[in-house]
Amino acid sequence: MSKARLTALLSILLILVGLGLVFKNSLPFFVQADVPEVTVKEEEPVPQSVSQAKEEKKEAEEAELYTEYPSVGETFGELIIPKISSTLPIVEGTDEDELERGVGHYANSVLPGEKDNSVLSGHRDTVFRRLGEVGVGDLLIVKTKAGEFTYKVRQVRIVDADDRTVIVPKPRATLTVTTCYPFDYIGDAPERYILVGTLINE
């Protein structure tokens, strides 16, 4: 075999070997590889936001403020009015017997500190003689066995004696304090002096 022919055969052989290597290495690009099975985990619950958790905790605490409600005639707290340096007993009920002993709590309203409208009433010529000096921005503090609750007066109203809007439900913790009006009226007064405060601290 001549040298030229031998060189040609070696060249062809090298080319074939190179093509084989190229084909072997490029084969995975033309053949679909097995895709590993992916296990989908169940979606985990999204953790509650801090504010939502605090709100739920607050609602739970509000629901447990009072394990027992006072009976009619029972003195269960104090109403403190810093503006007139007055500290008054709070008695359950608003009949004459209760109002002679202090500030009466309207039995169909929530207790102080609870969400909704807590209504207190008193005589203008005894416990609430100076209530007319109390107005918007002043504080009303209630102390009971459930704690101390501070309300800020947001509204002063003068309504007819038969106005029932005084005892309507409220969307937040509210303290409504009511007495007869005018303060210097002789006999059964025709109107009511109303202080409406919202809870600002407990």
Side-chain angles (χ1 to χ4, degrees):
M1 185 179 296
S2 67
K3 185 176 180 180
R5 190 166 182 173
L6 182 60
T7 300
L9 284 175
L10 284 174
S11 297
I12 291 171
L13 185 60
L14 287 173
I15 290 171
L16 290 175
V17 170
L19 288 174
L21 290 172
V22 169
F23 178 76
K24 180 181 177 183
N25 291 328
S26 62
L27 186 62
F29 292 101
F30 299 100
V31 178
Q32 183 176 359
D34 291 336
V35 178
E37 184 178 348
V38 177
T39 303
V40 179
K41 294 183 179 179
E42 293 184 7
E43 186 175 343
E44 296 181 359
V46 178
Q48 292 179 323
S49 67
V50 174
S51 60
Q52 183 180 355
K54 284 183 177 178
E55 186 64 28
E56 289 182 359
K57 181 180 178 182
K58 183 178 178 182
E59 289 177 1
E61 288 173 349
E62 285 178 349
E64 299 170 0
L65 276 178
Y66 298 89
T67 55
E68 293 182 8
Y69 276 59
S71 56
V72 173
E74 179 183 347
T75 300
F76 69 91
E78 291 179 333
L79 172 63
I80 301 168
I81 310 176
K83 177 69 175 290
I84 56 176
S85 303
S86 183
T87 299
L88 307 165
I90 301 175
V91 183
E92 182 67 5
T94 51
D95 288 340
E96 194 58 36
D97 288 343
E98 289 80 54
L99 295 182
E100 286 180 357
R101 297 170 46 212
V103 178
H105 171 253
Y106 183 65
N108 290 332
S109 68
V110 298
L111 291 173
E114 293 184 314
K115 184 178 179 181
D116 208 331
N117 189 13
S118 181
V119 182
L120 302 180
S121 183
H123 285 315
R124 73 186 188 280
D125 53 356
T126 57
V127 292
F128 286 156
R129 191 183 306 273
R130 297 178 58 198
L131 195 66
E133 299 174 32
V134 183
V136 173
D138 292 328
L139 301 180
L140 303 170
I141 302 168
V142 177
K143 287 184 178 180
T144 71
K145 63 182 179 180
E148 181 174 306
F149 308 98
T150 302
Y151 298 82
K152 188 171 186 177
V153 177
R154 305 290 187 186
Q155 185 182 25
V156 176
R157 302 174 61 204
I158 296 174
V159 301
D160 291 336
D162 58 355
D163 190 324
R164 308 307 290 172
T165 61
V166 173
I167 58 175
V168 297
K170 302 288 185 181
R172 57 185 294 189
T174 301
L175 183 69
T176 299
V177 177
T178 174
T179 193
C180 295
Y181 184 85
F183 290 96
D184 57 357
Y185 194 86
I186 305 300
D188 293 333
E191 296 175 311
R192 297 290 181 266
Y193 185 80
I194 313 294
L195 299 177
V196 181
T198 53
L199 185 66
I200 60 171
N201 189 32
E202 58 182 294

